[in-house]
Amino acid sequence: MKNMSADYSVVQLLFVRSVFALLIFQFVLWAIRHATPLDTNRLGWHLLRGTVLCLALGCYYIALSAMPLLDAVAIFFTAPLLATVLSAFLLKEKISLGRWLAVIVGFVGAMVMVRPGGATVVQTASFFAAGSAVLYAASIVITRVLGDTESAVTTAYLTMVMYVAITGLGVVAMDHLAETGGRFEGVSLLRRWGTFHVKELALLAFSGGMVCIGFFCLAQAYRLATVSLLASWEYTALLWGGLW
């Protein structure tokens, strides 16, 4: 996503990847003879989660397009600390001292990782990264709320449907407005639709497959355990961000 954002709109990339993800997930459900999981009494919560998560990752990928990977990841992963705080106030979760310490240590580690970027962190893109962290923290809390009654399959599937719908509308809007330009301090806001090469489509399809697995695992995890328990595990993505 970061590599291709140099040549394509982030909204276009998210739309194509989301279409691949939904098709792959639907094929898997068909292969295991699982009906399309649209039977839910909490559709409003699903729509809210899909919207918030889509906006969160949209802001994140916009930030990625204009700043170093490690800096963007470090800012984004202040989200677990925010999610833990929100869970304490909104979900009334009882959080032990050990879990607070684990999340705070992860937060401190994220701040240490930001420092190598120096002045590059304080730029327009960093505000997109910070916004994505707040939105993602909210999506974590919503995922936990849904986990009380909804299956991981339903949650993941409806989130992908929302991704396709929102990014599809975004592509139409961006393509229409792209004539006005739209670059601000390295952040690409508006671009017309670009034509992908076969290799790029293959990479987006692979990314879509990873989204299927990731969304299902995320929904299943927060269905089974509290936000405070899982938040510190989210920080392991910092290790992968540094590696890549």
Side-chain angles (χ1 to χ4, degrees):
M1 292 293 287
K2 177 171 174 58
N3 288 341
M4 283 190 281
S5 65
D7 302 309
Y8 300 98
S9 161
V10 168
V11 179
Q12 178 183 345
L13 292 173
L14 280 171
F15 172 69
V16 175
R17 190 185 73 170
S18 299
V19 170
F20 276 123
L22 184 59
L23 290 175
I24 293 170
F25 203 76
Q26 184 65 67
F27 177 78
V28 172
L29 292 180
W30 172 80
I32 62 176
R33 301 182 185 280
H34 193 300
T36 302
L38 294 177
D39 185 16
T40 177
N41 294 321
R42 308 183 75 180
L43 183 60
W45 280 101
H46 283 292
L47 297 181
L48 178 62
R49 179 184 186 267
T51 301
V52 171
L53 191 55
C54 184
L55 292 175
L57 295 187
C59 287
Y60 178 57
Y61 289 127
I62 289 173
L64 274 184
S65 70
M67 66 191 300
L69 175 64
L70 194 56
D71 287 345
V73 168
I75 294 174
F76 177 75
F77 276 95
T78 58
L81 177 60
L82 297 174
T84 302
V85 173
L86 288 175
S87 70
F89 284 98
L90 300 180
L91 302 180
K92 308 301 181 183
E93 289 186 359
K94 294 181 178 180
I95 305 173
S96 67
L97 178 60
R99 291 182 184 178
W100 273 118
L101 289 175
V103 175
I104 290 171
V105 167
F107 177 75
V108 172
M111 293 302 98
V112 170
M113 293 176 74
V114 169
R115 289 184 61 85
T120 61
V121 178
V122 185
Q123 55 175 282
T124 302
S126 65
F127 291 103
F128 281 95
S132 70
V134 174
L135 290 166
Y136 184 65
S139 76
I140 288 176
V141 174
I142 296 170
T143 304
R144 179 60 185 158
V145 171
L146 285 170
D148 292 336
T149 59
E150 306 296 284
S151 71
V153 171
T154 298
T155 300
Y157 185 86
L158 290 177
T159 296
M160 287 182 229
V161 170
M162 285 301 296
Y163 259 71
V164 172
I166 293 172
T167 56
L169 291 173
V171 163
V172 174
M174 291 292 180
D175 196 56
H176 178 70
L177 296 173
E179 296 179 0
T180 63
R183 291 187 67 85
F184 185 65
E185 293 187 19
V187 177
S188 177
L189 299 177
L190 301 174
R191 280 184 181 167
R192 298 193 69 86
W193 180 273
T195 303
F196 292 111
H197 299 294
V198 174
K199 180 181 178 181
E200 292 170 329
L201 285 173
L203 288 172
L204 285 171
F206 175 76
S207 181
M210 296 303 98
V211 166
C212 289
I213 298 171
F215 275 14
F216 175 81
C217 289
L218 191 68
Q220 180 71 352
Y222 282 101
R223 192 177 72 84
L224 297 175
T226 61
V227 173
S228 59
L229 174 63
L230 297 173
S232 56
W233 287 93
E234 295 254 7
Y235 282 113
T236 57
L238 289 167
L239 300 176
W240 292 109
L243 175 63
W244 293 121

